[in-house]
């Protein structure tokens, strides 16, 4: 990773620490990735596919199975995630995994399809992602992206501000139009964009925090304040969360997901 910032180092550490547990707890990410994959059913078979922020390679493997003649690369900034992706990949799939940051990634050849599932929102500001992404696509090449948007983990953020109002998250997630506008400015044509709310349930707030840590979500600026919460603040946060967001199925965890499909302009 080139020109690493403190926040990017924190993210690498958090996601690397979660490599062994990620696939067990990333149910929402898997659900979103399955939807992206289903939307590609009518796509002409691509020759070369790039999976940006591939994590442990769940979507990369599914893409390789869906398009068995394609060359599929997965890149991720967390070395342990890439090690886990390689460990979990066997058989005749044409897969390659590399440690790389999209912003600095260079390729001698362009790509027919670039996908990214729940990872681009970790690039700050997210506008830094669009031109590198567009430059990797061949003219007319397709993209399919899923990005967490503002409002994700709203219950957790509300509880955090209730107990530590002087310590808000260090950054905000993007809104839908920031991404559509950014892609268009980078030379991409967005054919479809939509926002959906995905809700997950957990037994209690402590389990919510445990799942977030097990998927590496605690490492980025939207999850971290200017200082770590104290043990007493965390206890108050979980008590607030349980008191305000518990229902028949447990406590709820909301995700706002933006999905984007389109092509790089030919002109």
């Amino acid at each position: 990773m080139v020109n690493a910032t403190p926040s990017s180092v924190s993210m690498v550490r958090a996601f690397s620490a979660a490599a062994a547990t990620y696939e067990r707890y990333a149910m929402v990410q898997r659900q979103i990735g399955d939807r992206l994959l289903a939307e590609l059913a009518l796509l002409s078979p691509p020759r070369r596919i790039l999976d940006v922020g591939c994590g442990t390679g769940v979507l990369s493997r599914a893409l390789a199975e869906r398009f068995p003649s394609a060359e599929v690369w997965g890149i991720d900034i967390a070395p342990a995630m890439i090690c886990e992706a390689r460990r979990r990949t066997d058989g005749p799939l044409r897969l390659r995994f590399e440690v790389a940051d999209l912003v600095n990634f260079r390729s001698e050849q362009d790509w027919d399809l670039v996908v990214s599932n729940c990872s681009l929102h970790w690039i700050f500001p997210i506008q830094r992602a669009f031109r590198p992404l567009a430059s990797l696509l061949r003219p007319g090449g397709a993209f399919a992206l899923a990005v967490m948007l503002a409002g994700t983990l709203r219950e957790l953020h509300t509880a955090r501000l209730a107990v530590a109002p002087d310590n808000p998250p260090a950054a905000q997630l993007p809104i839908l139009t920031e991404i559509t506008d950014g892609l268009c400015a980078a030379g991409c044509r967005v054919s479809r964009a939509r926002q959906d709310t995905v809700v997950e349930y957990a037994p209690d707030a402590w389990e919510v925090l445990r799942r977030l840590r097990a998927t590496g979500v605690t490492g980025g600026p939207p999850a971290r304040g200017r200082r770590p919460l104290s043990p007493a603040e965390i206890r108050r946060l979980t008590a607030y969360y349980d008191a305000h967001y518990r229902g028949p199925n447990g406590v709820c965890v909301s995700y706002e997901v933006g999905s984007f499909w389109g092509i790089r302009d030919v002109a």
Side-chain angles (χ1 to χ4, degrees):
M1 188 166 52
V2 179
N3 297 327
T5 64
S7 62
S8 63
V9 170
S10 175
M11 283 189 290
V12 169
R13 289 175 178 168
F15 283 112
S16 286
T21 55
Y22 182 83
E23 291 198 20
R24 179 179 177 184
Y25 292 100
M27 288 84 76
V28 168
Q29 291 87 339
R30 186 185 290 271
Q31 176 184 343
I32 297 165
D34 288 345
R35 188 174 66 192
L36 274 185
L37 188 66
E39 293 284 349
L40 297 173
L42 300 179
L43 189 72
S44 298
R47 296 174 298 106
R48 304 187 75 234
I49 304 171
L50 180 65
D51 181 5
V52 175
C54 65
T56 57
V58 176
L59 183 58
S60 301
R61 294 191 296 273
L63 287 162
E65 292 171 359
R66 172 67 60 86
F67 303 108
S69 62
E71 177 185 5
V72 181
W73 281 30
I75 62 171
D76 199 282
I77 64 170
M81 285 285 192
I82 292 298
C83 288
E84 187 70 10
R86 291 169 178 162
R87 187 185 72 81
R88 289 175 176 269
T89 302
D90 54 17
L93 298 178
R94 300 175 64 188
L95 268 170
R96 175 174 173 177
F97 293 104
E98 298 289 341
V99 177
D101 180 350
L102 170 66
V103 174
N104 302 303
F105 181 65
R106 300 291 181 268
S107 175
E108 294 181 358
Q109 297 177 284
D110 51 19
W111 304 81
D112 302 302
L113 172 63
V114 172
V115 301
S116 183
N117 181 35
C118 301
S119 66
L120 291 183
H121 51 269
W122 294 114
I123 297 175
F124 293 94
I126 196 169
Q127 286 79 7
R128 294 176 61 230
F130 300 135
R131 291 197 182 279
L133 187 151
S135 71
L136 293 167
L137 280 167
R138 65 168 176 80
F143 60 84
L145 315 172
V147 181
M148 295 297 184
L149 302 176
T152 292
L153 302 178
R154 64 171 64 91
E155 301 87 358
L156 179 60
H157 291 306
T158 300
R160 180 192 184 109
L161 288 173
V163 303
D166 63 331
N167 190 25
Q172 300 295 318
L173 290 172
I175 61 174
L176 191 83
T177 54
E178 284 183 79
I179 298 174
T180 54
D181 291 349
L183 287 167
C184 290
C188 292
R189 185 184 311 160
V190 180
S191 58
R192 284 183 297 150
R194 75 181 189 210
Q195 181 169 346
D196 300 292
T197 303
V198 178
V199 180
E200 183 181 41
Y201 292 92
D204 54 38
W206 284 108
E207 177 64 13
V208 174
L209 298 181
R210 191 170 75 89
R211 290 180 186 179
L212 294 176
R213 183 172 294 277
T215 53
V217 174
T218 56
R224 301 170 68 90
R226 298 182 182 89
R227 58 172 176 80
L229 293 179
S230 69
E233 287 173 325
I234 293 173
R235 288 194 295 271
R236 293 200 300 273
L237 181 153
T238 55
Y240 183 101
Y241 201 125
D242 288 337
H244 288 80
Y245 300 112
R246 182 179 296 281
N249 299 316
V251 298
C252 59
V253 189
S254 301
Y255 298 84
E256 292 297 324
V257 183
S259 302
F260 309 85
W261 298 270
I263 64 170
R264 178 184 172 187
D265 279 332
V266 175

